[in-house]
Amino acid sequence: MISMFSNITIAKIQNKNITFVLGCLLFLISLSLQGQVRSEVDTTTIRIGEQIKFKIEVEADSSALVIFPEGQTFLPLEAVEATEVDSLRKESNIIFSRIYKLTQFDSGYYTIPTQKILVGDNTLFTDSLRIRVNAIEVDTTKQKLYDIKPIIEVDKSSGNWWKWLLLIFLVLGIIAFIIYWFIWRKKPLTEEEEIASLPPYDRAKLAIDKLDEKGFLRSLKLKDYYSELTFIIRKYLDEKVYDHALESTTDELITRLQLLKDGNQFPFTKETISNIGSILKRADLVKFAKSAPDIALAEMDKATIAKEIEHIKDCLPEPTEEEKLLDLAYKQEQERKKKRRKITLSVIMALSLILLTYVGFGVKYGFGYVNDTIIGNESKSLLEGEWVKSAYGFPPIWIETPEVLKRMDSSEAAQLNENMKTTMFFYGSFKDNLYIRTGTSQVLKTQAETADKQKAINMSAIVEANLKKWEALGVRNILTKTEKYTTPNGAEGLKTYGTAEFPTESSEIFKSGEYAIYSFTTENVVQQIALVWPTDDEYANDIIQRVVDSIELIPDELAKEEDD
């Protein structure tokens, strides 16, 4: 019985050993399928500014998807360049490789942190490598050393203002051209307008001369011929002698001419009145009684009318000086009226074109946007200006802002974060439309917490201290919400946001605004981005969104820095 039990026990132990061996074999096989990673550098010692070639090789199955590190994942060293991924077949596997060129501009010992490579659904890690960066020795007997120059203000680039100026000039040019072409330009007169502008005598003589050109007599259109001929003499009499000559009958016109002669108003001769009367009566017979005089008589009547026009012109009295002055004053008044009419039309047309342009741009881009463009809006100018992306502090906070952030005085930074070694950069203030601040703080080692749970409590306490400092600076009615936040590149932190009333230039007036504080911590390093902007400002909202989307941190490497 005992022997049987021993045999069973030995069998079980052997089965367990076999199972263990098989498990190890399966694990090794899975490792080979997942892939192997190797990393190396071409040198471990460089001088400031020189580059290291850091090579990563991954051996994996040909069907595996391999993702290498991207961006600034090598801090405290800076990635200058990364080559394309190269591949080399090795039996059934493929060796993927990529070279990164790294550098550092401060002397000391630095560690290339562990890099993460994704192979399919698995994650592989490289070894960390230690690098020495040597300072460049300078012979001070030959090369003098100078103090660092102070920060100077640099004029911002011109931006897009010239495009708007060009557009305004173009619109004004179009308006000016339209006004000139349709209102002020002296248009060339047509033949009819030129004839109408002639004095009555010249116009009558020209009409007599052009009568033959119409060919009435050659085509025997006597009715048209005499109608035209009598209209010429009646029109001349209507303008210079009797202003109802056109609508008067022949007898009424002859009677009026005789009365004017008898009244010594016009010294007409009996022959002139008789000749005009005879021709008018003959014309009536042609027009109404279908009379057909001889062609020679018709031509003689034309010559008679031309002669009588000359006689009437000689009988007309010379205008007195008073009449000449009145006529001149009348003409000047007419010119002034004409000029005022042109000015009025020009103003109306210019305003209409400006209004149409405004409405057109308003319909396309929105009237608020057009108004802000014309009048000017600080937030809009910042949003559409030239933005700057840079790293602030160390470990760096990568962020894109409409203006370069300025370094805060060390004493001011110390007041905002006590018990910390703090470096801060900022733009604006609570009194401005936009306030941006970044801060990197080194917590004193005696106060640094190590447990993850304790770190979260510490972070909340630091944010609370910041808000109390804000209250001391005049901010009131602070409403606060807190939630976890992850940056676009995967850094996890704490987002504190809400609304408050911020001070203005006047101590009695406060403005409503929104704020957000993004806090990140690793070991004894605290990094914060504080943003303040006005409520109901769509441009400011877009600015803040763009700033937040640009935040880049490397969560696992924020606090890695070696002593010299």
Side-chain angles (χ1 to χ4, degrees):
M1 187 72 178
I2 295 173
S3 175
M4 180 179 179
F5 178 78
S6 300
N7 291 335
I8 292 173
T9 304
I10 292 170
K12 286 184 178 180
I13 293 172
Q14 290 176 345
N15 288 337
K16 286 183 180 180
N17 291 336
I18 293 171
T19 303
F20 176 76
V21 171
L22 289 175
C24 290
L25 289 174
L26 289 173
F27 177 73
L28 293 174
I29 293 172
S30 66
L31 281 179
S32 64
L33 292 176
Q34 290 175 5
Q36 298 177 3
V37 62
R38 293 182 295 276
S39 61
E40 61 180 12
V41 291
D42 61 341
T43 179
T44 58
T45 303
I46 61 171
R47 289 181 295 180
I48 290 175
E50 289 184 338
Q51 296 179 2
I52 301 168
K53 291 184 180 179
F54 177 61
K55 184 176 181 181
I56 300 176
E57 288 187 350
V58 178
E59 183 177 346
D61 184 76
S62 58
S63 62
L65 176 63
V66 179
I67 300 177
F68 285 86
E70 295 287 347
Q72 298 295 337
T73 62
F74 303 92
L75 295 175
L77 276 77
E78 179 181 346
V80 178
E81 181 184 354
T83 63
E84 296 293 331
V85 177
D86 193 10
S87 60
L88 178 66
R89 180 171 292 278
K90 181 181 178 182
E91 297 178 354
S92 62
N93 291 342
I94 292 181
I95 297 176
F96 299 91
S97 63
R98 193 175 192 184
I99 296 175
Y100 299 86
K101 295 182 180 179
L102 312 177
T103 189
Q104 174 57 250
F105 295 95
D106 287 327
S107 61
Y109 287 92
Y110 297 91
T111 299
I112 299 177
T114 298
Q115 298 298 306
K116 180 170 65 176
I117 298 93
L118 299 178
V119 182
D121 296 331
N122 302 301
T123 303
L124 303 178
F125 295 91
T126 66
D127 294 330
S128 60
L129 298 173
R130 190 174 180 84
I131 303 297
R132 179 179 178 181
V133 180
N134 294 325
I136 299 175
E137 295 184 3
V138 179
D139 187 353
T140 56
T141 61
K142 298 180 180 179
Q143 175 65 50
K144 295 182 179 179
L145 299 179
Y146 302 93
D147 292 335
I148 298 175
K149 294 183 178 180
I151 297 175
I152 61 173
E153 295 289 337
V154 179
D155 293 335
K156 187 180 177 182
S157 59
S158 57
N160 296 326
W161 64 269
W162 62 272
K163 295 181 181 178
W164 289 105
L165 185 62
L166 183 62
L167 179 62
I168 292 171
F169 279 135
L170 179 62
V171 172
L172 292 177
I174 293 173
I175 293 173
F177 174 78
I178 292 174
I179 292 173
Y180 165 76
W181 186 261
F182 291 100
I183 298 178
W184 290 95
R185 180 176 66 96
K186 191 175 182 180
K187 303 174 185 177
L189 299 176
T190 62
E191 184 178 358
E192 291 77 9
E193 290 173 336
E194 288 182 354
I195 294 173
S197 65
L198 295 173
Y201 171 76
D202 295 333
R203 191 164 59 250
K205 292 294 289 183
L206 182 62
I208 291 291
D209 294 337
K210 287 182 172 293
L211 189 57
D212 288 339
E213 297 177 4
K214 297 183 178 181
F216 292 136
L217 294 181
R218 289 193 300 273
S219 57
L220 299 179
K221 295 180 179 179
L222 295 176
K223 181 177 180 181
D224 295 335
Y225 178 81
Y226 273 98
S227 294
E228 192 79 19
L229 183 62
T230 54
F231 178 79
I232 293 171
I233 187 63
R234 281 176 176 272
K235 180 68 175 175
Y236 183 65
L237 292 171
D238 185 82
E239 291 179 329
K240 304 303 294 184
V241 179
Y242 175 50
D243 57 1
H244 294 290
L246 286 174
E247 61 264 25
S248 299
T249 63
T250 299
D251 291 337
E252 289 174 345
L253 180 56
I254 297 302
T255 300
R256 173 61 64 174
L257 294 177
Q258 188 63 48
L259 289 174
L260 293 173
K261 175 183 180 301
D262 294 340
N264 295 322
Q265 294 184 21
F266 295 93
F268 299 133
T269 63
K270 290 181 180 181
E271 183 181 4
T272 295
I273 296 174
S274 176
N275 289 339
I276 293 174
S278 297
I279 293 172
L280 291 178
K281 288 177 181 180
R282 191 161 27 256
D284 290 341
L285 291 174
V286 172
K287 290 187 288 183
F288 304 113
K290 298 184 179 180
S291 176
D294 188 74
I295 299 298
L297 179 59
E299 290 180 347
M300 187 181 299
D301 288 340
K302 186 190 74 168
T304 301
I305 290 296
K307 182 182 68 173
E308 296 307 332
I309 288 174
E310 294 284 348
H311 291 161
I312 293 172
K313 177 179 178 293
D314 295 337
C315 294
L316 296 176
E318 288 290 330
T320 63
E321 290 298 324
E322 184 178 357
E323 289 175 338
K324 290 180 180 179
L325 291 174
L326 289 174
D327 186 55
L328 179 61
Y330 174 77
K331 289 181 178 180
Q332 290 176 345
E333 180 63 25
Q334 290 300 110
E335 286 295 327
R336 283 194 292 269
K337 287 182 179 179
K338 190 175 181 180
K339 189 174 182 179
R340 283 197 298 268
R341 188 160 52 250
K342 284 186 176 182
I343 293 174
T344 302
L345 288 174
S346 299
V347 172
I348 292 173
M349 184 172 289
L351 293 176
S352 300
L353 288 172
I354 292 173
L355 181 61
L356 288 174
T357 303
Y358 171 77
V359 171
F361 279 102
V363 170
K364 184 173 182 179
Y365 299 104
F367 289 99
Y369 180 85
V370 175
N371 292 336
D372 292 334
T373 301
I374 296 173
I375 300 173
N377 183 291
E378 182 182 352
S379 298
K380 179 177 178 296
S381 299
L382 289 174
L383 177 63
E384 297 178 350
E386 185 177 350
W387 283 51
V388 179
K389 185 170 184 178
S390 186
Y392 299 94
F394 187 85
I397 299 173
W398 285 90
I399 191 172
E400 187 179 21
T401 56
E403 297 282 354
V404 177
L405 304 187
K406 297 181 180 179
R407 183 186 290 271
M408 184 178 291
D409 183 79
S410 58
S411 60
E412 294 183 50
Q415 291 177 4
L416 289 174
N417 281 312
E418 297 175 354
N419 302 321
M420 295 184 183
K421 181 182 178 182
T422 303
T423 303
M424 288 192 178
F425 298 84
F426 73 99
Y427 167 78
S429 67
F430 291 149
K431 298 178 181 179
D432 297 322
N433 270 2
L434 186 66
Y435 176 57
I436 302 174
R437 174 175 59 79
T438 68
T440 302
S441 303
Q442 187 81 25
V443 182
L444 297 181
K445 292 185 178 181
T446 55
Q447 298 181 6
E449 304 293 345
T450 56
D452 291 342
K453 183 176 180 181
Q454 192 64 26
K455 280 199 291 186
I457 296 174
N458 250 1
M459 198 70 261
S460 299
I462 291 173
V463 172
E464 184 66 25
N466 286 339
L467 294 179
K468 287 182 179 180
K469 290 293 183 182
W470 284 16
E471 289 180 340
L473 294 173
V475 183
R476 66 185 191 183
N477 296 332
I478 301 177
L479 301 179
T480 301
K481 298 179 182 178
T482 301
E483 63 184 32
K484 291 183 178 180
Y485 177 78
T486 304
T487 65
N489 73 323
E492 295 182 355
L494 192 67
K495 177 183 177 182
T496 305
Y497 64 101
T499 60
E501 292 183 353
F502 296 90
T504 62
E505 295 296 337
S506 174
S507 58
E508 299 178 356
I509 300 176
F510 287 78
K511 62 181 180 182
S512 298
E514 300 180 49
Y515 73 91
I517 302 175
Y518 298 86
S519 305
F520 306 89
T521 180
T522 299
E523 297 181 5
N524 63 329
V525 175
V526 175
Q527 292 181 294
Q528 287 185 311
I529 301 98
L531 306 170
V532 176
W533 68 98
T535 306
D536 300 328
D537 186 335
E538 57 178 335
Y539 303 113
N541 290 331
D542 292 340
I543 290 173
I544 296 302
Q545 188 61 49
R546 182 171 173 181
V547 171
V548 172
D549 290 342
S550 71
I551 297 173
E552 290 185 12
L553 300 172
I554 305 167
D556 296 330
E557 306 299 332
L558 288 177
K560 286 190 177 181
E561 180 179 11
E562 299 291 339
D563 296 331
D564 293 344

